[in-house]
Amino acid sequence: MSIKYRLILSYIGMIVIPIIFIIVINFTFGFFLFEEKESLFDRFNPGKKVGQYLEKSKDIDRKINIAILEDKEKLMEKTYIKSLEEELKELHSGVIIRKDGELLYISEELKNLVNLDKLPAFKENYNRKKYIEYNEEYAVDNQIDYYLNGSEVSFFLVSNIGTLRQELKKIGTISTISIIGILIMTTLILTYSVYKDIIKSIVKLRYATNEMKNGNLNYEIKKHLNDEIGELSSAFEEMRLKLKHSLEVQRKYEENRKNLISNISHDLKTPIMSINGYIEGIKDGIADSPEKMNKYIDTIYQKSKDMELLINELFLFSRLDLEKEEFNFQTIDIIEFLKFSVEDLSFDLEKIYGKIDLSYECEPVFVKTDLQKLKRVVMNIVGNAIKYKREVPLIINIGVKKLENKIIVEIRDNGKGISKENLPFIFDRFYRADKSRNTSVVGSGLGLAISKQIIEKHDGEIWVESENNSGTSIFFSLKENRGGEANHEENIDY
């Protein structure tokens, strides 16, 4: 859940949970601690308290009126008055009886507190809100006037407003503190629950970033929650993996750079040393006949050509690797292209008693390619087969197959083959299965690496299948250009 929705639910909970909590406490404590019909809410409800006060006051009024109708003398009895006072205690009220203007009875609670001169006169319309004490803490709740044996009797019910106010204030204070306490407790619990998960994720993320800062890119950043911080953790994990991959690539590039310098130094050093040796031989007069001189000069020329080939291939590979080599794509019939290639290669193979054949399922088959670059790929693969041939006559078979929208070209030979441990590396630059870099096998060591770069620039793939002493098959794929015959140029120079 996202942090946004968790906060919204938290705020809703801060309102709903206290209400539920108050209701639960109301019923629970009301049932166990108070009277069966009185709940905690009633106990600490000021409005309810005032309502009870008024109801009780009316009830006592009714009793007094009934007593007047039945027996007026009863109101003068002390036992009856005492019973009324017991009921009036919880209302903080008392009784005052006046007869013919003289005070006949006053409750203990009202003595020395009530200004008797302010009591309403007999049959005077009294005001319930009219205070009769100077500090306005008492008020007449009811006045009952009647005649008893020719005397004027006034029966007053007087309430202690100050005490009632204090009780109501106390109830209000308790209610307010309880509600505030429940709100604070609910807020703390909900805030902590949200805070705990967020902080836990942030702490883990901070620890992971410190590990990355200290160079430990193997520390996995695990996603803790499905929220914004979880998405941030996933982004950091993705960044970590990319950074780790980038550093690994950089390390490999550094190793390749060192190997490249080492390989170039080795491959250039051999022909240079050979050239220097033959030149010294000429200078020292060892080539003392025209035949020896021609042989020395031919050797020097061949070694310089080998150096030129190495430098040219290195330059091409560098441009391909930096994506600075331009490609001139055109639509060709690959069957026609391979026919011409087989015809050209046949002359070279005949010199070593070799043979090359072409097989295909159908023609024409159109692809979009850079013709000169594709020629180089075929020449590099066939040249590699010639370098590593066995003592038996070399046989090379080129096959073409269609697979969905791809054209698969296989160039298979019956040469020495490649061991399984060397197969993954044959497209690496300067890689040779012969670790001693035997100079009896002439070449730059870049041919297959260049071929891989060229095929990949055609959005194709190149791979190899081989076993020791069982020959080698090198495959490469190109995208078929359907409808290419409309763009096919008839006079392409293969």
Side-chain angles (χ1 to χ4, degrees):
M1 184 184 296
S2 68
I3 296 175
K4 173 184 175 182
Y5 289 114
R6 288 168 64 191
L7 290 175
I8 291 174
L9 290 177
S10 176
Y11 292 144
I12 293 173
M14 290 177 189
I15 298 172
V16 174
I17 293 177
I19 294 173
I20 296 173
F21 196 61
I22 290 170
I23 292 173
V24 170
I25 291 177
N26 173 36
F27 283 103
T28 303
F29 283 78
F31 181 79
F32 288 105
L33 300 181
F34 305 117
E35 297 177 7
E36 184 177 355
K37 293 183 180 179
E38 184 180 20
S39 66
L40 183 67
F41 181 76
D42 293 335
R43 184 82 173 182
F44 295 105
N45 184 355
K48 185 73 174 179
K49 195 71 178 177
V50 172
Q52 290 175 345
Y53 169 81
L54 296 175
E55 187 67 30
K56 191 73 174 178
S57 179
K58 289 179 181 178
D59 185 52
I60 292 174
D61 285 348
R62 284 194 297 270
K63 287 182 179 181
I64 294 173
N65 287 325
I66 291 172
I68 291 173
L69 293 174
E70 293 178 350
D71 184 5
K72 294 179 181 179
E73 296 286 346
K74 187 177 181 180
L75 291 176
M76 307 298 291
E77 295 177 2
K78 288 188 176 182
T79 55
Y80 183 76
I81 293 172
K82 290 295 182 182
S83 65
L84 282 179
E85 286 181 330
E86 288 296 323
E87 292 187 55
L88 291 170
K89 271 185 180 181
E90 60 181 285
L91 301 179
H92 304 289
S93 302
V95 174
I96 297 176
I97 302 175
R98 186 181 62 191
K99 183 178 180 182
D100 294 330
E102 300 292 332
L103 181 65
L104 187 63
Y105 181 84
I106 183 170
S107 298
E108 289 293 328
E109 187 174 356
L110 304 178
K111 285 181 179 179
N112 303 321
L113 296 175
V114 178
N115 188 341
L116 299 178
D117 293 335
K118 287 189 176 183
L119 287 174
F122 185 77
K123 294 294 183 177
E124 179 184 342
N125 292 326
Y126 75 95
N127 185 350
R128 188 180 185 86
K129 298 296 182 181
K130 182 178 179 182
Y131 298 107
I132 60 174
E133 202 270 331
Y134 293 116
N135 59 12
E136 299 183 343
E137 291 294 327
Y138 287 82
V140 176
D141 277 333
N142 201 356
Q143 176 184 353
I144 301 171
D145 295 322
Y146 60 94
Y147 291 98
L148 180 64
N149 299 324
S151 298
E152 297 176 348
V153 179
S154 295
F155 196 98
F156 298 97
L157 294 179
V158 181
S159 296
N160 187 336
I161 302 298
T163 304
L164 181 61
R165 281 177 180 170
Q166 290 177 1
E167 184 173 339
L168 293 177
K169 186 177 180 180
K170 180 180 178 181
I171 292 172
T173 302
I174 292 172
S175 301
T176 303
I177 292 173
S178 300
I179 292 172
I180 292 173
I182 292 172
L183 285 173
I184 291 173
M185 183 177 64
T186 305
T187 302
L188 288 175
I189 292 172
L190 292 176
T191 303
Y192 176 74
S193 65
V194 175
Y195 165 86
K196 179 184 67 175
D197 290 334
I198 294 175
I199 292 300
K200 187 176 180 181
S201 297
I202 292 175
V203 168
K204 285 187 174 182
L205 191 57
R206 183 180 62 187
Y207 181 80
T209 54
N210 285 332
E211 289 293 311
M212 291 174 62
K213 182 180 69 176
N214 295 328
N216 181 14
L217 294 178
N218 293 318
Y219 185 84
E220 182 181 357
I221 304 174
K222 294 182 179 179
K223 187 176 180 180
H224 181 58
L225 294 172
N226 292 321
D227 56 14
E228 290 82 355
I229 298 180
E231 292 174 1
L232 181 61
S233 299
S234 298
F236 264 89
E237 174 64 9
E238 185 178 352
M239 180 187 69
R240 180 190 72 84
L241 293 174
K242 287 185 177 180
L243 181 59
K244 182 180 178 182
H245 176 71
S246 175
L247 292 176
E248 288 176 354
V249 169
Q250 184 178 354
R251 179 180 57 81
K252 288 181 180 179
Y253 270 117
E254 185 63 23
E255 290 178 359
N256 287 339
R257 185 185 66 82
K258 292 178 181 179
N259 291 333
L260 181 62
I261 294 173
S262 175
N263 292 332
I264 291 173
S265 301
H266 183 280
D267 287 350
L268 288 177
K269 182 179 180 181
T270 302
I272 289 173
M273 289 178 63
S274 180
I275 290 172
N276 287 338
Y278 281 104
I279 290 174
E280 287 178 2
I282 294 173
K283 287 175 65 178
D284 294 339
I286 296 175
D288 52 2
S289 65
E291 291 80 9
K292 281 188 177 182
M293 181 63 73
N294 288 334
K295 181 180 178 181
Y296 275 38
I297 292 174
D298 288 342
T299 303
I300 292 171
Y301 175 76
Q302 187 59 48
K303 295 298 181 181
S304 65
K305 294 293 289 184
D306 292 343
M307 290 175 60
E308 182 184 9
L309 174 64
L310 173 61
I311 293 170
N312 287 339
E313 291 204 335
L314 182 61
F315 181 68
L316 174 61
F317 181 82
S318 178
R319 288 182 62 83
L320 288 169
D321 200 31
L322 296 173
E323 298 184 353
K324 291 185 177 180
E325 180 69 14
E326 294 183 359
F327 280 73
N328 180 25
F329 289 99
Q330 55 185 317
T331 301
I332 67 166
D333 179 0
I334 195 168
I335 302 299
E336 287 296 317
F337 162 76
L338 290 174
K339 284 180 180 178
F340 279 97
S341 298
V342 167
E343 186 176 344
D344 286 342
L345 291 167
S346 295
F347 295 106
D348 293 328
L349 288 170
E350 285 176 0
K351 296 176 183 178
I352 59 171
Y353 305 102
K355 182 181 179 182
I356 185 167
D357 294 320
L358 174 65
S359 61
Y360 48 88
E361 295 177 350
C362 61
E363 62 175 331
V365 178
F366 294 97
V367 295
K368 196 170 185 179
T369 182
D370 184 311
L371 187 60
Q372 298 304 316
K373 300 293 191 302
L374 190 59
K375 273 186 181 180
R376 193 175 195 98
V377 171
V378 175
M379 294 297 293
N380 286 345
I381 295 173
V382 173
N384 217 54
I386 294 173
K387 292 173 194 174
Y388 295 97
K389 70 183 185 67
R390 292 188 291 171
E391 297 302 323
V392 299
L394 178 63
I395 299 175
I396 298 175
N397 295 308
I398 301 178
V400 182
K401 293 181 180 179
K402 292 177 65 174
L403 183 63
E404 296 179 352
N405 63 334
K406 290 183 179 181
I407 306 301
I408 309 296
V409 178
E410 176 188 6
I411 302 178
R412 179 166 49 87
D413 65 58
N414 63 339
K416 294 179 180 179
I418 306 169
S419 63
K420 289 184 178 179
E421 57 269 20
N422 290 325
L423 275 178
F425 309 106
I426 68 164
F427 294 107
D428 292 352
R429 47 189 162 187
F430 290 107
Y431 184 81
R432 288 177 181 169
D434 183 3
K435 300 298 181 183
S436 65
R437 301 187 62 81
N438 193 339
T439 56
S440 64
V441 179
V442 180
S444 65
L446 290 171
L448 292 181
I450 290 173
S451 299
K452 183 175 185 291
Q453 290 271 25
I454 291 172
I455 293 300
E456 288 180 349
K457 293 296 188 295
H458 284 74
D459 294 327
E461 296 178 90
I462 187 168
W463 67 97
V464 63
E465 294 178 3
S466 182
E467 291 183 8
N468 274 333
N469 300 317
S470 297
T472 301
S473 291
I474 295 181
F475 303 82
F476 64 84
S477 65
L478 298 170
K479 288 184 179 180
E480 182 183 7
N481 187 18
R482 294 179 180 176
E485 55 267 52
N487 301 320
H488 178 51
E489 299 179 14
E490 297 292 339
N491 298 320
I492 293 178
D493 183 11
Y494 291 108

